Amino acid sequence: MGKFVISKRTNGEFQFNLKAGNGQVILTSEGYANKSGCENGIESVKKNAGDDGSYDRKTAANGKFHFNLKAGNGQVIGSSQMYDSAAGRDGGIESVKENAPGAATEDETV
């Protein structure tokens, strides 16, 4: 089972990572000024993870593949790592769909 991990960046912003059951990071958030914004971002991921249309599949200039998960308003709520293949990227999307909805949240800032 996956989990969301809230942490604090060196600049004081909060962020979350969605980790798969094996501990691998499959989605990283933007920086949030406060923890409540970060927690709202997690709820948005849970809400939008199951909608295939919420994923923006991309290819970077270096030929690597990645994706963004967007909220209903079009705002990016999470970004993936880089993958060597489109199949790897698509597997990452499936992992978010599988892990996010029921994931627990672990707060490393307390």
Side-chain angles (χ1 to χ4, degrees):
M1 184 71 115
K3 66 179 175 180
F4 289 96
V5 179
I6 297 173
S7 60
K8 207 167 191 181
R9 295 179 173 176
T10 55
N11 66 1
E13 291 182 334
F14 292 87
Q15 75 169 39
F16 65 81
N17 286 315
L18 173 59
K19 294 185 176 185
N22 64 5
Q24 182 177 358
V25 174
I26 51 178
L27 195 72
T28 300
S29 75
E30 63 181 358
Y32 294 92
N34 54 53
K35 192 186 294 186
S36 64
C38 189
E39 292 166 339
N40 289 339
I42 290 170
E43 291 307 311
S44 186
V45 169
K46 288 181 176 184
K47 177 181 170 188
N48 291 285
D51 179 7
D52 195 64
S54 295
Y55 294 89
D56 192 6
R57 293 161 174 85
K58 298 189 160 285
T59 305
N62 66 0
K64 300 261 186 178
F65 300 86
H66 62 110
F67 64 88
N68 291 323
L69 175 60
K70 293 184 174 182
N73 63 4
Q75 182 178 354
V76 174
I77 48 179
S79 300
S80 74
Q81 64 181 16
M82 292 292 181
Y83 295 92
D84 291 328
S85 67
R89 175 197 58 208
D90 294 345
I93 290 171
E94 291 305 312
S95 186
V96 172
K97 288 179 181 178
E98 180 181 314
N99 285 283
T105 300
E106 185 177 296
D107 188 347
E108 294 183 341
T109 67
V110 290

